[in-house]
Amino acid sequence: MSKIKKLIVAKEIDKRVKELADVLYNEYGDEEVVFICTLKGAVFFACDLLKKYNGDARLEFLRVSSYKGKESTGKIELNLSISKENIENNNVIILEDIVDTGHTLKFLKGYISDMNPKSLKICTLLDKKMRREVEIEADYCGFEIDDLFVVGYGLDYNQKYRNLPYIGVIE
Ligand code: IMP
Ligand code: MG
C-alpha cells in the first residue's frame, strides 16, 4: 500500500457527520426523507449519516460513474437506476461523497428532478469548489477541501483505499 497522508481523521469525520444529521433532522422533522446514496463512494457516509439521523428515513441507491483514474471524464454513465415511485412526492436528499467538476451532480439533480420529488436537496461530504466546471452547488457540505485527490472513507483511486477510516492524500 502507498503511503497516505491523513487529511481528515476518523473522529473529525464522525463529529461532522453527526452535525449534518442533526441539521437535516431539524430541517425535515417528522417528514419522511428518502436518502439516495450514490455508489460506491458515498456508501460509508450514507451508512454513518443514517445511523445518526433521528427522523424517518428511507434508503435508496444510485450508481453513476465518470472517473477514470484521477481525471474526471465529464461523461456520466448511469449504472444503477432508481424507480420513480420511490421519488415522486417525497422529500429527497442525494448523498454524495465529493463534488469536483460538478458534472455528476448536475446529471443526478436533473435525473431525480424529472421524477417530481416533493423537495430535493444535495448533501455532500466533501467539496472541491475551485474545480467546478458547471454551475452547481450542494445544499449541505461536510468539508470544503483544496484541489487534492483524496481517498478513504469510501473514496477510491482505481477502486483502492475505500476502506480507510480517514480521508487522506496519496503521497
Ligand atoms: P465530478 O463529476 O467531477 O464532480 O466528479 C464527482 C465524482 O468523481 C465523485 O462522486 C467521485 O466519485 C469522483 N471524485 C472526484 N474527486 C475525487 C477525489 O479526490 N478522490 C476520489 N474520487 C473523486
Ligand atoms: Mg461519487
Side-chain angles (χ1 to χ4, degrees), residues 38-42 64 66 95-99 104 108 155 162:
T38 58
L39 297 171
K40 301 173 191 172
V64 289
S66 73
L95 297 175
E96 256 288 32
D97 50 356
I98 189 164
V99 186
T104 305
L108 285 173
L155 291 130
R162 290 192 198 276

Side-chain angles (χ1 to χ4, degrees), residues 16 20 24 45 93-102 104-106 108-109 120-129 132 134-144:
R16 187 67 184 127
L20 285 174
L24 295 176
F45 176 45
I93 301 178
I94 299 174
L95 297 175
E96 256 288 32
D97 50 356
I98 189 164
V99 186
D100 184 21
T101 62
T104 305
L105 199 55
K106 192 170 178 211
L108 285 173
K109 210 173 171 180
L120 175 60
K121 290 280 165 81
I122 291 149
C123 178
T124 185
L125 178 67
L126 303 170
D127 194 345
K128 294 198 258 192
K129 276 195 190 293
R132 218 61 106 245
V134 289
E135 218 175 291
I136 192 151
E137 293 305 333
D139 302 284
Y140 308 94
C141 164
F143 304 92
E144 270 186 42

Side-chain angles (χ1 to χ4, degrees), residues 8-171:
I8 310 170
V9 298
K11 233 180 152 170
E12 227 180 311
I13 299 171
D14 195 64
K15 184 170 164 258
R16 187 67 184 127
V17 171
K18 175 62 182 156
E19 283 170 6
L20 285 174
D22 289 344
V23 167
L24 295 176
Y25 178 58
N26 284 335
E27 203 83 14
Y28 294 88
D30 290 337
E31 286 201 37
E32 187 181 64
V33 175
V34 178
F35 288 92
I36 301 180
C37 168
T38 58
L39 297 171
K40 301 173 191 172
V43 73
F44 290 57
F45 176 45
C47 291
D48 285 346
L49 188 124
L50 261 81
K51 283 188 284 178
K52 296 175 198 300
Y53 185 76
N54 292 320
D56 290 333
R58 277 161 48 182
L59 178 59
E60 297 293 334
F61 295 94
L62 258 183
R63 183 152 183 218
V64 289
S65 51
S66 73
Y67 248 67
K68 300 269 180 287
K70 289 187 183 177
E71 289 309 312
S72 180
T73 59
K75 271 186 252 138
I76 316 299
E77 267 174 57
L78 185 65
N79 309 118
L80 172 68
S81 57
I82 205 161
S83 63
K84 190 175 172 180
E85 68 199 63
N86 293 318
I87 302 299
E88 199 167 27
N89 301 323
N90 284 306
N91 295 307
V92 176
I93 301 178
I94 299 174
L95 297 175
E96 256 288 32
D97 50 356
I98 189 164
V99 186
D100 184 21
T101 62
H103 289 288
T104 305
L105 199 55
K106 192 170 178 211
F107 172 88
L108 285 173
K109 210 173 171 180
Y111 176 68
I112 298 296
S113 295
D114 287 349
M115 298 184 194
N116 300 318
K118 182 176 174 190
S119 67
L120 175 60
K121 290 280 165 81
I122 291 149
C123 178
T124 185
L125 178 67
L126 303 170
D127 194 345
K128 294 198 258 192
K129 276 195 190 293
M130 75 284 291
R131 292 259 309 162
R132 218 61 106 245
E133 289 172 9
V134 289
E135 218 175 291
I136 192 151
E137 293 305 333
D139 302 284
Y140 308 94
C141 164
F143 304 92
E144 270 186 42
I145 61 168
D146 294 335
D147 184 7
L148 297 164
F149 193 85
V150 291
V151 294
Y153 195 70
L155 291 130
D156 73 304
Y157 173 51
N158 287 338
Q159 300 302 326
K160 274 178 72 178
Y161 308 111
R162 290 192 198 276
N163 57 319
L164 298 175
Y166 53 86
I167 291 159
V169 182
I170 305 168
E171 291 200 309

